[in-house]
Amino acid sequence: MSLMASLVFTGEHQTAHQPRWAWPDRAYNCEPGGLGSGRACTAPGWPAATAADVNAAAGGGAPARAGYRRSAGSPRGEARRRELLARVTDDLAARGLVDFSLRRAARAAGTTHKVLLYHFDGADDLLSQAIVQLRQRRIARGLAAAAEGPASRPLADRIRAVWPILVSEEARVLDQAIGLAMYDPGRYDYLGREASQQYLPTLLSLCPEHWPQQRKLEVAEMILATLRGFLVDVRTSGDTAGVAAGFEALARALEREEAAAG
């Protein structure tokens, strides 16, 4: 069974068009909107997503979630929610999306599925928030790597410094999430959309400050699309030599952009 066919599904009679999420004692069909509709942060350096952030309605007409009715407004409840989320996020980073379920999440968090359901609006909501957390980790590490060296460091060198962060094992689950969005865009397209919303501001911030905003946007979009393509290639083919050759071409293109902009 392929990754996308087996991803997080359980039950003996599921089909590629009727995925079902694994609950401890049953399975339920995902509603349109898929794994959740968390709102992605849109600027580098933002804090960890809060319950209100992730439960806000996403773009594309997705309905707003009911929210954390039982723990909202409680500092103790929020601290517990963040602790559980961190443990589940660590588990996802280590094991990926395949066979993810509420039961597995509860084991990783050292609790029960009922406790998770007290703090999260089901497995889809929990997974959505964990993916946001993992992207934030990736972005923070990428920014730290890009910031090393002199302030005049060329853009191409900054992107080279970010690449090892993107292909780390912990980041593999994020590429799996993009694969899921490609597998069933009608249901999971927000996974790709929110990824772009999180990554693009960081790439904009790496561009030379004196560039016009439009030029920054054009170059950042080029970098994002190219790196995403490289990630798909290296994850699926393992052709690191081919990706390295393509990366050098990207670096030359960025060097030309900087030279042309003065």
Side-chain angles (χ1 to χ4, degrees):
M1 182 180 293
S2 67
L3 169 64
M4 289 299 104
S6 63
L7 193 60
V8 300
F9 304 154
T10 62
E12 297 178 357
H13 307 293
Q14 72 271 25
T15 70
H17 301 292
Q18 294 178 313
R20 300 191 300 171
W21 281 95
W23 284 64
D25 55 353
R26 66 187 184 280
Y28 68 100
N29 292 323
C30 296
E31 295 295 328
L35 313 181
S37 56
R39 185 181 64 196
C41 301
T42 56
W46 11 258
T50 64
D53 288 332
V54 178
N55 283 317
R65 292 194 174 279
Y68 304 101
R69 294 179 296 277
R70 289 165 291 187
S71 59
S74 165
R76 182 177 179 182
E78 177 62 13
R80 178 59 171 158
R81 186 192 70 81
R82 289 180 180 274
E83 177 188 6
L84 295 171
L85 179 59
R87 292 179 181 178
V88 174
T89 301
D90 288 341
D91 178 71
L92 274 175
R95 300 174 57 191
L97 285 178
V98 179
D99 298 325
F100 179 85
S101 67
L102 200 62
R103 181 186 296 275
R104 172 183 145 186
R107 286 197 301 267
T111 187
T112 67
H113 74 280
K114 290 184 179 179
V115 170
L116 289 182
L117 290 176
Y118 181 89
H119 293 279
F120 301 94
D121 188 19
D124 52 350
D125 178 42
L126 177 58
L127 181 57
S128 178
Q129 292 196 48
I131 291 295
V132 169
Q133 292 285 315
L134 283 172
R135 288 200 198 107
Q136 289 175 337
R137 292 184 187 180
R138 181 191 245 183
I139 289 170
R141 291 170 181 169
L143 281 172
E148 294 179 357
S152 58
R153 191 179 188 186
L155 177 58
D157 287 353
R158 294 177 185 272
I159 300 303
R160 281 194 181 97
V162 169
W163 178 246
I165 309 299
L166 301 182
V167 293
S168 67
E169 278 303 305
E170 181 178 88
R172 182 180 292 272
V173 64
L174 297 175
D175 304 324
Q176 291 175 349
I178 295 298
L180 188 58
M182 296 171 65
Y183 169 71
D184 191 349
R187 183 166 294 185
Y188 302 118
D189 65 330
Y190 74 92
L191 286 173
R193 181 176 62 250
E194 290 177 356
S196 297
Q197 290 171 350
Q198 282 187 264
Y199 293 138
L200 191 59
T202 301
L203 293 173
L204 287 168
S205 74
L206 296 181
C207 293
E209 292 183 3
H210 65 276
W211 280 8
Q213 191 63 26
Q214 182 60 30
R215 192 183 197 99
K216 289 182 181 180
L217 179 61
E218 292 168 355
V219 172
E221 290 281 11
M222 178 185 71
I223 295 171
L224 178 60
T226 305
L227 293 183
R228 183 170 284 170
F230 288 163
L231 283 168
V232 171
D233 193 4
V234 77
R235 297 297 194 196
T236 57
S237 72
D239 183 12
T240 56
V243 169
F247 207 101
E248 288 307 309
L250 172 63
R252 290 194 297 271
L254 295 178
E255 290 167 356
R256 289 193 294 268
E257 285 289 337
E258 285 204 81

